[in-house]
Amino acid sequence: TQKTANNQSVYRIASMTKSFTAMAILKLRDAGKLHLDDPVYLYIPALKGQKFSADSPDITIRHLLTHAAGFPEDNPWGDRQLAISDAAMLSMFKKGISFSNTPGTAYEYSNMGFAMLGYIIKKVSGQSYQTYINQNILKPLGMTNTYWDYTKVPQNQLAKGYRWLNDNWVEQPMLGDGAYGAMGGMLTTMDDFAKYTAFHLSAGVSNAKE
């Protein structure tokens, strides 16, 4: 059944989610709950001692935010981790993560880095990153049609993905909400995202201390 898209259609916005995760980290920074140059192992102890080389610096929150933690680019693998649990993610980190560069020396896009930021939000705020972002970003902006779990989206609003296979459009399964959602799990409408964009466009000079 074909439907016409409109400003209330709900799309998964994929990596545009990362902007919300970064904003949440900066709000926690502004509240004095963390510092951007804190080593990540303070929040994810399994990372302590994991380095590109013996004399490499520790990964910091700033490195994660700027895709400069030294992790190898991980598309499309990272996208497929969307629904994994915190426990599975932490177990993966404990087994050992890969590096391609010394932290702070190069840009290399990392979904895993933003999944780590989502976990840091949880550790620092005492809430899931979804709840923190809902309460501190979405609700104040009136973003009432924004979701993390696609099953909560009214079916008549949800935009689904299709592939052209054997001369037919075949609906593709959607991944659920999980530990990697901080890098790409948000679903929203044009109307709601416009509220978020307008907020950023209206921002004045930052009074950030870092």
Side-chain angles (χ1 to χ4, degrees):
T1 303
Q2 291 188 354
K3 289 179 286 189
T4 301
N6 58 43
N7 57 0
Q8 292 300 307
S9 299
V10 176
Y11 301 89
R12 173 158 278 155
I13 62 169
S15 286
M16 290 156 67
T17 306
K18 290 182 173 70
S19 172
F20 291 84
T21 301
M23 184 176 176
I25 288 286
L26 293 179
K27 285 180 71 67
L28 290 166
R29 183 276 310 272
D30 290 349
K33 301 292 182 66
L34 56 79
H35 300 282
L36 298 189
D37 293 314
D38 284 343
V40 176
Y41 69 72
L42 292 179
Y43 309 96
I44 308 176
L47 298 181
K48 188 170 179 61
Q50 296 199 49
K51 295 185 174 187
F52 176 69
S53 62
D55 59 351
S56 292
D58 289 311
I59 306 160
T60 66
I61 293 174
R62 191 186 301 272
H63 290 146
L64 298 180
L65 285 169
T66 57
H67 295 283
F71 304 148
E73 192 272 337
D74 59 4
N75 283 320
W77 174 87
D79 300 313
R80 294 196 292 267
Q81 311 311 308
L82 192 67
I84 68 170
S85 67
D86 281 349
M89 180 175 72
L90 293 174
S91 175
M92 179 175 68
F93 296 161
K94 190 173 183 179
K95 288 177 183 175
I97 58 175
S98 298
F99 290 89
S100 57
N101 292 290
T102 297
T105 61
Y107 173 94
E108 193 160 358
Y109 193 85
S110 175
N111 291 301
M112 183 175 72
F114 269 76
M116 290 179 179
L117 290 170
Y119 189 76
I120 291 170
I121 293 167
K122 178 180 177 179
K123 289 283 284 187
V124 171
S125 71
Q127 303 172 301
S128 68
Y129 69 80
Q130 297 98 325
T131 299
Y132 182 85
I133 290 172
N134 289 351
Q135 292 183 359
N136 294 278
I137 300 176
L138 306 185
K139 188 176 180 180
L141 291 176
M143 295 176 66
T144 56
N145 290 306
T146 298
Y147 309 84
W148 297 96
D149 183 350
Y150 77 90
T151 67
K152 304 291 176 61
V153 181
Q155 282 299 298
N156 64 335
Q157 289 179 250
L158 181 61
K160 301 175 181 177
Y162 295 82
R163 288 184 66 190
W164 184 251
L165 294 170
N166 301 320
D167 296 325
N168 283 294
W169 287 111
V170 179
E171 184 178 325
Q172 298 299 291
M174 298 186 76
L175 290 172
D177 184 29
Y180 260 60
M183 67 83 197
M186 185 177 282
L187 301 106
T188 193
T189 66
M190 287 295 291
D191 271 356
D192 265 19
F193 198 77
K195 295 174 183 177
Y196 179 70
T197 303
F199 169 75
H200 281 284
L201 291 173
S202 67
V205 176
S206 171
N207 61 356
K209 297 176 182 178
E210 295 186 57

